[in-house]
Structures are given as structure tokens and as C-alpha cells.
Amino acid sequence: MQTMLKQRAPAAAGKQAQALPRVAPKVGRARSVVVAQAAPATAKVAKPAISRDLVDKCINAIRFLAIDAVNKSKSGHPGMPMGCAPMGYLLWNEVMKYNPKNPQWFNRDRFVLSAGHGSMFQYAMLHLTGYDSVPMEEVKSFRQWGSLTPGHPENFVTPGVEVTTGPLGQGICNAVGLAVAEAHLAARFNKPDCKPIVDHYTYCILGDGCMMEGISNEACSLAGHWGLGKLIALYDDNKISIDGHTDISFTEDVAKRYEALGWHVIHVINGNTDIDGLRAAIAQAKAVKDKPTLIKVSTLIGYGSPNKADTHDVHGAPLGPDETAATRKNLGWEHPEFEVPQDVYDVFRSAIQRGADSEAEWKAACEEYKAKYPQEWAEFEALTSGKLPENWADALPSFKPEDKQLATRQHSQTMLNALAPVLPGLIGGSADLAPSNLTLMKISGDFQKGSYAERNIRFGVREHAMGAICNGIALHNSGLIPYCATFYIFTDYMRNAMRMSALSEAGVIYVMTHDSIGLGEDGPTHQPIEHLASFRAMPSMMMMRPAGGNETAGAYKVAVANRKRPTTIALSRQNMPSLPGTSIEGVAKGAYTIHDCAGTPDVILMGTGSELQLCSEAAEILEKEGKKVRVVSFPCWELFEEQSAEYKESVLPSNVTARVSVEAGSSFGWGKYIGLKGKHIGIDDFGASAPAPVLYEKFGITTPKVVEAAKAVMA
């Protein structure tokens, strides 16, 4: 490997490394894997207006901002920015459409750094192009408390960052979601006799780690199936990971895999210095309209570092003063740390005027569109404002105790179809479980290649990617309200995407059916036990488990209203009544009294979902024996914790210590509400395969057991 390093190392001081020779595709290479040389006649290649020397200077400015910031913070990943700097220069200076002074301009191109560990790459680009969020003071504060330049890109911290990345593979999936949003809105609103009002690309840089993560393959399989032609991914093929060279664990032909997934694939053999090749590759990618493009860019990690380039040493640690000095000498960078020459700023800051002009041109197109299509424009403006339609929640039905008993998954289907006509941004689907999750909107067809305007998304058996794609749709920030569904147990496959929803302020609605041992015969592999507790432990996630139709409506009302906070709704397979006292409004409080007594209760029974019925039945028995009983429905712990101390005391008075909680799941966490004297009726072991009534009997989750527990805590 040392010989290989010497062969690939940068050239002498002050010079760019000699370009690797271009080679023809090897025999047997897939035909769509093209070596980028000259663009096809259909592709337009913009000629640079500046000298190659100044281009190289701009590229080195990116490298040294990353090097200096990582050195100062004593942590970070300099190698990726050093290798990807040429891509950054081209994307931000020649390719992408954006306005640094209005980071939220609707029709901007989106950029996702899936290799989020290389965050200084993105911060360098935001700083150089004039985003107010990343002045030099923030570059110098990289990875420090309170800075706008955290260790990984965070959309809720740094304007100009579209999505939060870090867990490898999530970013490319978010990029697929962003491209889905663009395709959907373009199909709904663009008109053939007007300039398009929805017309932007999604660009993503991902690395070997992203390629290894299975989630990326799930999402890119869908992107290929959907033919998302405005998604362009640049694969930083540097063949280094934390353990060392990737040939110790990753030797597949990525290009052939992506061709098989339905992508157009291009290979830029020398991503270090072949700017023309990169430029031609991007032009080729934009010329392909019917499929996404993967540009495999072979680079040298840590390019320019004489002793650390092409090694894992430069992946995740500062260069240090000696190697930084050697790199400055090797690349002919004579400027002190954090100094950017004015001519470099002049090149990059031209993006400010260019972006303002692009936005003005788009606004003019919008005016033309508005004049020709006033109704469609009103719909577009209302949707993209992010504001919910007036009185939308009035569409949610309410239920009476005498209404037919239904599973809450059936009530969920009712809610989705009640909301679909009044929420034009509602879009989503299931991971190959639509007949069981009951998540199809009857007013719409399927989102497919050629029918992007439809709103039902078929994700296939790809739970992890499904969640991350929905995050991308939500973070497109265009008024779309994504939901996705599977069996609750399979949140295990998508947990990181759900956590990223909560962290990223992405208001995804997770519709999770078959929420307990109540699903019955499928057995313990499919029966959630610890899942309610685990999502209650997740910051910023609202974990709902409604009981009956009214509470299911209430769960949807809360979920839709919260556009910066995700909601998981756990729904039953088995039927249950809409109990007296349950209400849409009560859900918003998190917990509320559905049945009460005169004076101070002798015991408080609290439950969620299908087990709330057991509490009501137990209360009736106990009251016949002269006990005073309060029944509390507890659909959402998080919302209850956000209520005032006075309200919480009114529901769970501290002087009543006789308390029983009932939930067909783990007891973990309930101690906070039942106290040391209280008892929990639930299950702290795996379930079993049997009909649901048998399971409830065998595991002791029954009305008599609730009565027994209540008497014990009152003793």
C-alpha cells in the first residue's frame, strides 16, 4: 500500500498533482458506466470565466478552511473536504441554483452532504459563497458549544443546511425524499405553456460508508424505480474508511450495482484535478431526464497532504501543525490560517448576485403563471406557505359509545381519508403493508414514474429508507405532510430514521399498526413489547397510543398540527369501543379523566389503547363494591408532561397513591405515574403465538387482574 500511496500522492510544491491517465472502460464494464470525457451533444457544459490558476486557488481555499478549522477544534474530518474540494467548487460556483441571502428560496437546488462527518466541506462552501449563517467567526468556532458549525450538518442550527446528516446512508435517502417532493410538486403545478415554477435539482455527495450502509441501497432502489431524473449523487470514491483501505471489506463494483438499480452511471477517473471531466459528468447527468445519476468520482482522501493522503489517518483526525505546514508547501498555499484571498472571495461571492437574479427570474415566472392559472397559483401558494388550511380539523369525525367497535387501524384509515381532501399536502404510504396498515388515500393513485402527481407512495419492504425518505419530503419545506406505515415491531428496522425525524424537526407521521400482543397468532417476532417505552424515551418524538375513534382523530389532529415534531401513532389490530368520556380534545392534553367520582378517588386506573377498556370495566366492578374510582386515559406521555403543574395535579392528585396502570407492553417508565405503591398490568417478556384473547388471559391482562391490582394498592 505504501507503493500505491507514493504513486497517487500529490506532486511537488506549488503544483497540482499530475492527472491520472484516462482509460477506456474495462472489458465487461456495464455500458451505462461512462468515463467522463466530453459531454454529449445534448448536454450543455458552461465554460469557466476564470483562469485555471484561480480555479485551483478557489479549490485550495476550501481545503485549507477545512484543515484550519479541524486543527483549531482539535477534532473533525479533514480528509473528505480536501478530496471533494473540486466538486464543491463546481457545484457552488458553476452548477447549483441558490441564493445565499435567502436560504429558504423555494426553487433553489438542494444539496445534501450524506458524508456528514466532512461537515467542514459544507461550512466552507456556505462561508465562501456568502451565507450570513457562516461568517469566519463561525468557521473558527467549528464544533464548539453554541456555534452554527456543529460536528455534523444540522438543518435546525445552520441556515443553508437542508437536512441533518451524520449517520451514514441517511443523507442520500433524504436526498431521494427531496427529489420525490420536487417531482411531485412539478407534476402537480407546472404547465406546458408557462416557465416551470417547480424546477430544481437535488445534489448529494456520499462516500464509501454511505455505500456500505444498507439503507442507501433501499432508497436508491426506489429512486431508480421512480426514475428521479433530477437527483444527482456524486460518490466520493476514495477507498478509505476508519479501519483503513476499503479493500479489507468492500470490493463490490458499485457502478454495476447502481446500473442494476436503474441509475445512469458515470465515472470520473481523476476527481482530484480533472475539473473538465467533473464538469462534463455533471452536464451529462443533467441531460439524462428519466433516471437518477450516480457520478463515481475517484478521489484521493486528504489530497495535498504529503504524508497522510490516501490513509485513514486523515479521515477523522486533524493534520496537526507539521503536516499542515507540509501541505501548505505542497499545494503552494502561502496564506496564514483562516485567510481567504480577496480574488477567491470575489469568485465565490458572485453567487449572491447570481442567486438574486435567479430568484427574480423565478418570481417573474410565478407572476406569469399566476396570471394564466390563478386557481392553481392560489393552491400552490397556500401549500408552499406551510400554513395549514383553515378549519382543516373540522374534517375529523367523532364517535359515540354505541358506534360499531373497530380497530384503531381502521379508525386511522378513516382519518387519512377524511383529511386527504382538505390537506392537499398529505402524501405517504406503507412498506408493502397497505392492506394491513390501511393507509391508502382513496382520492389518489400511486406515485410512480409517469404519475408523480399522485399521493400514495409504495415503499416496498424498505422500512429504514421509508422513514428517511419521508424526512427528506418533510424537510423540502414545501407544505407536504409525509406519513409512512408498517407494523409497529418493524420500527426496529427504521429507528435511526425516526430518531433523525425528531432531531431534525421533521414532522413525519408514523402510522404503526399491530401495536401489541393483541395482533395474536403471528407471535413474538411480530409483537411489540418494549417499543412504547423506547419511543417515549426518544426526545421530541410524540408517542401516541389512542383508544377508540375519538382518540385516533385526536392523535391525527395533534400530529398534523405539529410540523416540526414527528408523531408515532400505535394502532391496534383488534376491535375496541369508543369509550364514554374519550375525546379529540383530551388527546392534546396527553392524559385526561374519562370517568370520575365524587370527591377524592380511592384509586386511579390509567390505561392506553385497547387496555383502557379494561380500566373502565374494572371501575364499574369496583364502584359496585363502594369504591370511588377515577379512570384516566393516557394516550401521550410527552403531551402530558408539557401541561402545567396544576393540570397534572388535577388529573393525578399527589394525595392519591393507589394507582394502577394497564398497557399491553413493558412496565418500564410507568413508575413515574404509579409511584412506589402502584402496580402495572402489562408484559415484560416476549409474547407468544396464539389468538389474542388467549394471550391476554395467559399474560394476565384482564379486567379481573385490574380489579385485583386495584384492591391490592388500596389495601
Side-chain angles (χ1 to χ4, degrees), residues 127-180:
H127 169 73
L128 290 167
T129 53
Y131 281 76
D132 295 334
S133 55
V134 190
M136 187 60 81
E137 291 77 14
E138 292 295 339
V139 175
K140 293 178 180 179
S141 298
F142 178 53
R143 287 181 161 232
Q144 303 308 301
W145 177 265
S147 78
L148 298 180
T149 49
H152 291 82
E154 297 174 0
N155 62 290
F156 53 94
V157 170
T158 314
V161 171
E162 302 288 353
V163 299
T164 299
T165 58
L168 293 174
Q170 292 285 336
I172 180 61
C173 303
N174 296 162
V176 172
L178 292 168
V180 165

Side-chain angles (χ1 to χ4, degrees), residues 95-358:
V95 176
M96 290 200 307
K97 177 178 61 179
Y98 61 99
N99 185 352
K101 298 305 177 184
N102 183 11
Q104 292 302 313
W105 170 39
F106 169 80
N107 207 40
R108 67 193 182 279
D109 289 335
R110 268 65 168 180
F111 174 78
V112 175
L113 184 62
S114 192
H117 54 274
S119 56
M120 258 314 303
F121 170 87
Q122 190 160 12
Y123 302 143
M125 300 317 307
L126 295 177
H127 169 73
L128 290 167
T129 53
Y131 281 76
D132 295 334
S133 55
V134 190
M136 187 60 81
E137 291 77 14
E138 292 295 339
V139 175
K140 293 178 180 179
S141 298
F142 178 53
R143 287 181 161 232
Q144 303 308 301
W145 177 265
S147 78
L148 298 180
T149 49
H152 291 82
E154 297 174 0
N155 62 290
F156 53 94
V157 170
T158 314
V161 171
E162 302 288 353
V163 299
T164 299
T165 58
L168 293 174
Q170 292 285 336
I172 180 61
C173 303
N174 296 162
V176 172
L178 292 168
V180 165
E182 194 277 345
H184 175 68
L185 294 170
R188 282 177 64 173
F189 292 106
N190 288 348
K191 302 293 182 181
D193 60 341
C194 285
K195 291 181 179 178
I197 58 173
V198 183
D199 181 21
H200 50 268
Y201 282 81
T202 301
Y203 296 92
C204 178
I205 291 180
L206 67 161
D208 290 304
C210 295
M211 285 296 185
M212 295 184 212
E213 287 286 359
I215 186 176
S216 64
N217 199 72
E218 291 182 19
C220 291
S221 172
L222 277 169
H225 168 73
W226 288 327
L228 298 175
K230 287 189 174 178
L231 173 61
I232 298 175
L234 295 95
Y235 165 33
D236 177 25
D237 171 39
N238 63 40
K239 295 181 171 59
I240 291 289
S241 63
I242 292 175
D243 277 357
H245 283 79
T246 56
D247 58 10
I248 63 176
S249 62
F250 187 59
T251 53
E252 67 188 48
D253 190 329
V254 171
K256 287 183 179 178
R257 171 157 65 96
Y258 270 71
E259 185 206 16
L261 292 176
W263 288 55
H264 178 64
V265 182
I266 306 168
H267 184 193
V268 179
I269 295 175
N270 175 18
N272 303 311
T273 62
D274 187 6
I275 303 301
D276 290 338
L278 279 168
R279 188 180 287 117
I282 295 171
Q284 288 180 35
K286 295 183 76 170
V288 175
K289 306 296 184 184
D290 62 344
K291 57 179 65 177
T293 295
L294 178 76
I295 304 176
K296 177 182 174 181
V297 186
S298 294
T299 65
L300 197 69
I301 191 170
Y303 181 87
S305 171
N307 302 300
K308 293 189 176 183
D310 197 35
T311 74
H312 69 277
D313 293 334
V314 78
H315 170 80
L319 263 64
D322 292 343
E323 189 63 17
T324 298
T327 304
R328 275 183 155 79
K329 182 179 179 182
N330 192 45
L331 292 177
W333 190 255
E334 299 174 350
H335 309 281
E337 65 176 8
F338 298 112
E339 182 177 299
V340 177
Q342 188 58 48
D343 54 353
V344 170
Y345 274 132
D346 291 343
V347 170
F348 281 117
R349 297 288 165 93
S350 65
I352 296 173
Q353 186 59 53
R354 192 166 63 246
D357 292 344
S358 294

Side-chain angles (χ1 to χ4, degrees), residues 484-560:
C484 62
T486 186
F487 289 169
Y488 192 27
I489 192 75
F490 297 136
T491 56
D492 288 343
Y493 282 129
M494 59 193 297
R495 184 177 179 83
N496 187 247
M498 298 175 76
R499 186 177 189 274
M500 294 301 286
S501 297
L503 177 63
S504 304
E505 300 180 354
V508 178
I509 302 173
Y510 292 96
V511 181
M512 299 294 133
T513 70
H514 298 62
D515 68 346
S516 72
I517 59 170
L519 64 88
E521 292 85 347
D522 276 345
T525 61
H526 282 52
Q527 292 166 351
I529 301 296
E530 74 280 14
H531 296 69
L532 289 164
S534 73
F535 283 105
R536 287 167 179 159
M538 184 179 287
S540 296
M541 176 64 76
M542 287 188 290
M543 181 63 249
M544 299 274 188
R545 190 167 186 250
N550 291 322
E551 290 198 352
T552 305
Y556 270 94
K557 183 177 180 180
V558 170
V560 169

Side-chain angles (χ1 to χ4, degrees), residues 428-452:
S430 168
D432 196 50
L433 285 169
S436 293
N437 299 145
L438 305 177
T439 46
L440 291 177
M441 291 180 283
K442 296 175 184 178
I443 68 167
S444 181
D446 288 348
F447 176 95
Q448 296 286 0
K449 188 175 183 178
S451 59
Y452 295 138

